[in-house]
Amino acid sequence: MTPQFAPLDWLVVGLYVLVLLAGGWLFSRFKADDARDYFLAGRTVPAWLAAVSVLSATQSAATFLGAPDQGYRGDYSYLGAVVAPVLAAFFVAYVLIPRFYAMRATTVYELLEARFDARAKQWAGGMFLVGRVLAGGARVYLAAIAIAMVAFGSIDAQAIILSAAAVMLVSFLFTFHGGLKSVIWNDLIQFVIYAGSAVAVLVFLRLSIPASNAELIAALSSTPEGVNKLRLFDFSTDLSKPFTVLAIFTGLFLLNIANAGLDQDTTQRLLASPDAKTGARGLILSQLASIPLIAMFVTIGLLLYVFYNRPDLIGAQNQAATSFAGEKITVFVHYILTQVPPGLRGLVTIGVTAAAVATTNSALNAMSSVMISDFYRPWRERTGEASAKHYVHAGRWGMGIVAAAMFGMAVLSFYWQRHTDMPLLEFALQVMVFAYAGLLGVYFVAVFTTRGSSASVIAGLAAGFVTVLLLQPFVLGPAGLAFPYQLCIGTTVAAFIAAIPRGKGVAVANVIA
């Protein structure tokens, strides 16, 4: 089965390209006079726009393709897990964001410099860069799978490389000139396309199922396999399940604290607001807005389950093939390729592309921000003065370097998947745990205690990473330990090591007062 784009599909894609060109022209008018303008948009971003930008950055192609797959294979427990990011948003909004604004930070890792020294900041920034390259590259590859299948009818090496290169190129060009301001406004455009295409597919899919709503609810609440696919909360204590209530209040809570408060990719948008209250409001709004978005994608998965597995409700209309020989792709991509009509197929293709572009351009700007602010600028200032424009140009060069690294990781992920049984989606969700464990441990020590030193922070960051690595089944870890619990263990080890020295008794609140 090789899908071919119809003229209507190409028309939709052409309109999207026109939108990109128009946006590029508009965003080229955003002039960045210094590094603060380039990386923080002059701190002029309102709460609603920060919320949309955070939502666009965090709801990546992994959500676009992975949440339907989760609903198809499981139930609504993935949606129930949204409790964790909502709770984490309030924690970050009232504990971390005020501290970052008090010190007028450009990157969140400057807090460690104020608490300890520049070495601690640079090691934390380096940990973020490693983790973001891994996670960002994996997500680009995931998006490239969908784009390659729809546009080329294949996921061989050439199609994946071309698709990944297209995503990286578009993301780089959008971010290159205007910095964070162009990223945030581009996020708004991409989010509208991303959400709009999902709504269109949901409506089309629902209309293609002749059963009534009552019949659907009855079928999903009691499947032939004896499963209630409408279950919202999983109270199981099985440590191999990543979205249980136990995981929500432990590892998933920690994961979302790290994502919202310690990951420059997300936090940079919140630091671009005029004040801490506006940034905090933007974060909370973004997490609340994610609830209907995730619900929509999981619902698509539940309807796909009915479409493919309940012929008693579909009847003769279910003529779809149930598998692809030799290729592992998500059920959502399968549906797009076999059932979606021309025009809508083009819209969904650009929806996946929009999700990938929004996620990638934010990662490019965030990583460049850390590279320049935490590494290059301190080195350059020791060798002599440089103009404000110099650091803007350096930021663009830094963006090119991280773009190349992410593209390399995306290509590497293609070959990595061919030699492992671990699904790439699971990898995309789990990979940041390696970096987050150390960051969470050392930040808890830095914020809530007066213990620790620069050396213990560095050791804690390394220990968190190594602990999570050792917990992998292919190293020393037990099979079936889900990533939320790996994060709990890694964070505990990192915090213990970081807190060993008594420190100088300097609390963060006193440092930034």
Side-chain angles (χ1 to χ4, degrees), residues 27-336:
F27 300 144
S28 68
R29 300 168 63 189
F30 294 154
K31 302 296 184 181
D33 295 324
D34 56 30
R36 185 168 294 271
D37 276 346
Y38 192 72
F39 293 125
L40 293 180
R43 295 192 187 272
T44 60
V45 178
W48 70 268
L49 186 55
V52 171
S53 184
V54 169
L55 191 61
S56 180
T58 54
Q59 302 301 313
S60 67
T63 303
F64 196 102
L65 301 175
D69 188 54
Q70 188 72 28
Y72 176 79
R73 301 175 188 275
D75 50 32
Y76 270 124
S77 58
Y78 183 73
L79 173 62
V82 79
V83 171
V86 171
L87 293 176
F90 280 95
F91 178 90
V92 172
Y94 291 104
V95 176
L96 293 180
I97 290 179
R99 288 173 165 83
F100 296 144
Y101 270 88
M103 60 190 299
R104 303 295 292 175
T106 300
T107 75
V108 298
Y109 313 113
E110 292 173 23
L111 184 146
L112 293 182
E113 181 178 27
R115 178 69 163 78
F116 302 106
D117 60 23
R119 288 194 306 150
K121 176 189 71 172
Q122 290 175 343
W123 271 80
M127 186 65 68
F128 159 76
L129 291 173
V130 171
R132 182 49 58 189
V133 166
L134 293 174
R139 287 168 179 164
V140 169
Y141 169 53
L142 190 63
I145 291 175
I147 295 170
M149 285 299 299
V150 177
F152 300 103
S154 169
I155 56 171
D156 60 17
Q158 182 179 3
I160 290 295
I161 291 173
L162 289 175
S163 299
V167 170
M168 293 307 307
L169 180 61
V170 171
S171 301
F172 177 75
L173 292 177
F174 253 98
T175 313
F176 180 79
H177 193 275
L180 184 64
K181 187 174 291 186
S182 67
V183 169
I184 288 177
W185 283 102
N186 174 60
D187 283 346
L188 177 60
I189 294 175
Q190 305 292 2
F191 176 75
V192 171
I193 297 171
Y194 167 86
S197 62
V199 170
V201 171
L202 178 62
V203 172
F204 177 81
L205 176 57
R206 177 62 188 92
L207 293 176
S208 68
I209 300 175
S212 65
N213 290 334
E215 290 174 322
L216 284 176
I217 292 174
L220 292 170
S221 62
S222 181
T223 69
E225 299 83 8
V227 175
N228 177 14
K229 293 183 73 67
L230 299 181
R231 180 180 62 174
L232 186 60
F233 294 105
D234 183 355
F235 291 94
S236 168
T237 57
D238 186 347
L239 299 185
S240 67
K241 295 182 177 181
F243 302 116
T244 63
V245 172
L246 178 61
I248 289 173
F249 290 101
T250 55
L252 291 178
F253 178 62
L254 292 176
L255 182 76
N256 284 280
I257 288 176
N259 180 257
L262 304 181
D263 190 321
Q264 181 69 8
D265 190 11
T266 303
T267 314
Q268 184 179 28
R269 291 158 164 71
L270 308 175
L271 297 179
S273 295
D275 52 58
K277 288 184 178 180
T278 305
R281 190 161 60 248
L283 174 60
I284 294 171
L285 286 175
S286 71
Q287 298 307 324
L288 294 176
S290 72
I291 297 175
L293 191 66
I294 294 174
M296 176 173 60
F297 281 110
V298 177
T299 300
I300 288 174
L302 295 178
L303 293 180
L304 287 172
Y305 166 81
V306 173
F307 187 83
Y308 285 115
N309 297 281
R310 295 300 299 270
D312 55 316
L313 297 176
I314 300 297
Q317 295 188 37
N318 184 15
Q319 301 175 1
T322 58
S323 64
F324 289 100
E327 303 290 359
K328 295 180 179 180
I329 60 175
T330 70
V331 67
F332 195 18
V333 175
H334 184 176
Y335 179 77
I336 293 168

Side-chain angles (χ1 to χ4, degrees), residues 349-365:
T349 302
I350 65 173
V352 177
T353 305
V357 169
T359 304
T360 305
N361 63 19
S362 66
L364 292 178
N365 192 271

